[in-house]
């Protein structure tokens, strides 16, 4: 992913991940293309400290082409690039389970759905939220520092 886009602040970005997870989980009939497209846009806004982990190797136009032809699982899989890995298992009729992880960390995510792409999306979101939990102190510190810097800029003459 070529990412010249200004990143979101980590807490705001994780808030977007939580909303995406809620949307994916709450609306089982939600269009998978719209969910994967939203995941791609959120991934493009990844905070700088996470860009070595959250990235995708395919160009946005390639992923859009996959979405346009209905290859939702391929598009979602294109958003997961090393070091992030995943497994996708089919359990019974219409039941998929995805496990997303990163060998460089203890973070894991699991997703279940009636569609493979939503299971993978849910697993990815859960993985990212586990990443947040594992490094909560680091993100709180960066937020505190950025707020302090903003305050100093506003009060100086």
């Amino acid at each position: 992913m070529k990412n010249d886009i200004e990143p979101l602040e980590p807490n705001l970005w994780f808030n977007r991940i939580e909303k995406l997870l809620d949307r994916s989980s709450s609306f089982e009939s939600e269009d998978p293309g719209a969910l994967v497209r939203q995941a791609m846009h959120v991934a493009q806004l990844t905070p700088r400290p996470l860009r070595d982990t959250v990235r995708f190797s395919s160009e946005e136009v390639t992923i859009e082409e996959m979405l346009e032809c209905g290859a939702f699982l391929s598009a979602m899989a294109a958003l997961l690039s090393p070091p992030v890995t995943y497994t996708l298992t089919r359990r019974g009729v219409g039941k998929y389970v995805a496990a997303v992880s990163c060998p460089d960390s203890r973070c894991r995510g699991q997703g279940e759905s009636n569609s493979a792409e939503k299971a993978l999306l849910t697993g990815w979101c859960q993985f990212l939220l586990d990443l947040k939990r594992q490094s909560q102190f680091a993100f709180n510190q960066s937020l505190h520092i950025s707020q302090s810097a903003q305050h100093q800029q506003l009060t100086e003459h």
Side-chain angles (χ1 to χ4, degrees), residues 11-29:
N11 288 322
L12 180 60
W13 186 77
F14 282 116
N15 187 325
R16 296 263 177 104
I17 296 296
E18 289 170 353
K19 287 180 180 181
L20 180 60
L21 177 61
D22 288 344
R23 185 175 165 200
S24 175
S25 302
S26 301
F27 304 108
E28 198 60 39
S29 62

Side-chain angles (χ1 to χ4, degrees), residues 9 38 58 72 78 81-82 84 87 111 113 130 143:
E9 183 274 319
Q38 184 178 1
S58 297
F72 305 127
S81 294
V84 176
T87 59
S113 180
D130 192 38
L143 176 63

Side-chain angles (χ1 to χ4, degrees), residues 11 14 18 128-136 139:
N11 288 322
F14 282 116
E18 289 170 353
L128 294 172
L129 294 175
D130 192 38
L131 187 64
K132 177 186 178 185
R133 283 187 289 276
Q134 296 290 333
S135 55
Q136 187 66 42
F139 291 119

Side-chain angles (χ1 to χ4, degrees), residues 57-125:
S57 56
S58 297
E59 293 293 323
E60 180 179 1
V61 67
T62 304
I63 295 172
E64 285 290 347
E65 289 170 353
M66 290 178 202
L67 293 171
E68 289 302 316
C69 72
F72 305 127
L73 179 57
S74 296
M76 187 61 219
L79 295 179
L80 304 172
S81 294
V84 176
T85 61
Y86 70 92
T87 59
L88 187 61
T89 309
R90 186 172 183 175
R91 291 192 184 156
V93 178
K95 181 75 165 189
Y96 296 89
V97 177
V100 179
S101 62
C102 181
D104 299 344
S105 73
R106 299 185 326 248
C107 301
R108 305 274 182 269
Q110 183 170 322
E112 295 183 23
S113 180
N114 63 352
S115 72
E117 56 276 355
K118 285 185 186 178
L120 192 53
L121 173 65
T122 303
W124 180 70
C125 290

